[in-house]
Each structure stands twice: as C-alpha cells, then as structure tokens.
Amino acid sequence: MPTTPLILVRPPSPRLAEGELTHLDRVPVDPGLAREQWQGYVAAFADHGWDVVEVEEAPEHADGVFVEDALVVVDRLAVLTSPGAPSRRGEVPGVEAALRRLAADGVDLEVARISSEGHLDGGDVLEVGDVLYVGRSARTDDEGIRQLAAHVEPYGRRVVPVPVSKVLHLKSGVTALPDGTVVGYEPLVDDPGAFVPFLAVPEEHGTAVVDLGGGAVVMSADAPRTAELYRARGLDVVTVPISQFEALEGCVTCLSVRVR
Ligand code: CIR
C-alpha cells in the first residue's frame, strides 16, 4: 500500500519578528497574521492528503518556524543539521524529539547528524534526482558539506557544492519543479549555469516551490506572473500568502520538511 507523504512543521514563535536578517531590512511583522498564514500553508498540504506532524512549539526560538533548516531527509535517512547561525542551534533538539516520536510510531528512519565541527542549514540543500546541490553560503561551510556528503553517498546521492552569496540560502534563489527543471530568479543566482535544465522566472518570490505530488506545487501568492508560467507548463499551482515569513527571508520550502 502506498504510504502517505508526511511533513514536519513547527508553529511560529510569537517572537518571529526578532528572527535573523541578513539581506533584508527589518520591517514590522504581525504575529497574529503570521499564524494565520502558517495555518493556510499547512492546510495546502493537508488538503492534498499529506500527513502533517508538528514539532513542539518553541516560543524562545524566533526562527523555529523555518523547520527545514534543522533537518535534511534523503529516503529514510534524516540528518539533523548544525545550523550556521548561533541563535538557531537550539532548534535542533526539538526536531530530534519529533523524529524520535515518529520512529516510535513506526516511521522507518535512520537518524544522523552534522557535528558542530561543521555548519549546514537545510535551506542550502536542493535535491534533484540523485544530485544534492548544496549551497556554500553564509550558513553552510565546507566541513558541513563534507559531512553531509559522507552521510548521503551510501544512499546513492552525489553532492554538488554551488556558490551562494546573493541570498540567504540556496533555496532562497533556486528550487526545482516536479520534472527536475531548476527554477530561479537570475539576479539572485550566483551561477545559473550550474543547473541543467534551468528556467528563469520573472519574480523573486516565484523561485520557491514545493512539490505536492500529482502535478501540483505550492508557492507564494506574491509571484502571480511566475504562477502563470508554471500553469502554462501544465502544473496545478496552489498559492499561499506568506508575507510575514518572506519579511524574515523565509519562503515556502523552509516552513516544512518532508520526512516520508
Ligand atoms: C534566518 O535568517 O535564519 C531566518 N530568518 C530565515 C530562514 C529561512 N530558511 C530558509 O530559507 N530555509
């Protein structure tokens, strides 16, 4: 019997507005609106039949809602990360506890971790087929990439490091459509030639998509021309407003991590 896909999510902290900022200026963030937008995001997955499991709320971690940075999953291998920002390192134990609960419930997982000798954020890891593109960014260093490669190579994955200097994470600049086409907003991509095939999109917030299965993707509501471009390629596009997370340099990929 086919298994239902499953994501981990983490509710936004009331302190979201205090989250890390690297490339953007700080603007006001409304915690009530953030929660409403987060619920809409989660509903997009639930409406497509996905199981959604919450990591325990952590009000003290302003950036905890960006749960993909704490975990990279490849097949049944779940690699807990060593986040590059010191303020975010305390997010990992809560994600580890959620994995242990899933394992106790019968989800088949091998848990590994990036040690503190290296740093790596999940937002820097883009899986396309058997390739893991990994951004060498302000958050992810060579040792983090080396450790990740050692973990995933036995699972048949090849790690390809790529430069990231114009945005926070690799996946702030590029993600992939279900057919493996890498999509990105060229002014924010260091080396578009690293990705084949590559499709340039007209809006910054159109670069991030999550594959919902069955030819559907979820993306930001703030990129209507890119949504049309994807629809013209035959995709069923679900748009969600995530302005309060985009204000903190987040996007649709970082608000969840698929574990099955
Ligand atoms: C940070 O700077 O760490 C957060 N404010 C945003 C993290 C977004 N995560 C992601 O793109 N994977």
Side-chain angles (χ1 to χ4, degrees):
M1 211 176 67
T3 49
T4 312
L6 185 155
I7 48 168
L8 286 181
V9 294
R10 189 169 213 167
S13 159
R15 291 176 45 191
L16 175 67
E18 298 165 37
E20 296 280 342
L21 278 176
T22 308
H23 296 272
L24 299 183
D25 292 331
R26 202 167 289 282
V27 295
V29 167
D30 176 343
L33 179 57
R35 183 160 281 259
E36 208 177 285
Q37 292 184 342
W38 179 78
Q39 285 164 343
Y41 173 86
V42 169
F45 290 85
D47 291 349
H48 279 75
W50 289 45
D51 289 336
V52 178
V53 172
E54 287 188 18
V55 176
E56 199 178 351
E57 241 176 299
E60 69 280 21
H61 293 302
D63 280 317
V65 68
F66 303 114
V67 67
E68 85 158 350
D69 291 323
L71 184 64
V72 175
V73 179
V74 169
D75 297 343
R76 56 180 288 281
L77 172 70
V79 184
L80 292 159
T81 70
S82 166
S87 70
R88 301 200 56 192
R89 292 179 190 153
E91 296 172 23
V92 177
V95 174
E96 181 172 8
L99 288 179
R100 303 236 173 266
R101 283 196 300 276
L102 287 178
D105 285 347
V107 178
D108 177 31
L109 290 171
E110 178 191 347
V111 178
R113 69 181 68 240
I114 305 293
S115 81
S116 59
E117 283 156 41
H119 296 107
L120 182 129
D121 280 11
D124 278 317
V125 181
L126 173 64
E127 183 174 15
V128 186
D130 61 2
V131 173
L132 291 191
Y133 294 104
V134 185
R136 195 183 273 118
S137 71
R139 299 285 175 84
T140 294
D141 59 22
D142 285 339
E143 173 60 15
I145 296 174
R146 190 197 64 74
Q147 289 187 30
L148 182 69
H151 287 307
V152 301
E153 274 162 12
Y155 282 79
R157 299 309 198 281
R158 188 165 57 89
V159 163
V160 176
V162 291
V164 173
S165 67
K166 301 177 180 177
V167 277
L168 178 62
H169 288 125
L170 175 64
K171 282 188 284 189
S172 327
V174 293
T175 63
L177 299 180
D179 69 2
T181 302
V182 174
V183 293
Y185 180 60
E186 271 187 304
L188 299 181
V189 183
D190 284 74
D191 182 12
F195 310 101
V196 182
F198 178 80
L199 173 70
V201 302
E203 295 145 312
E204 175 180 353
H205 289 153
T207 61
V209 298
V210 179
D211 185 355
L212 287 170
V217 295
V218 61
M219 65 176 285
S220 167
D222 189 40
R225 285 183 295 142
T226 309
E228 277 316 304
L229 183 72
Y230 296 155
R231 288 190 180 107
R233 292 176 64 98
L235 290 168
D236 173 12
V237 178
V238 178
T239 60
V240 288
I242 53 162
S243 59
Q244 303 307 285
F245 305 108
E246 286 167 341
L248 270 304
E249 293 178 58
C251 58
V252 285
T253 68
C254 31
L255 295 172
S256 62
V257 54
R258 182 174 178 172
V259 297
R260 182 178 71 199

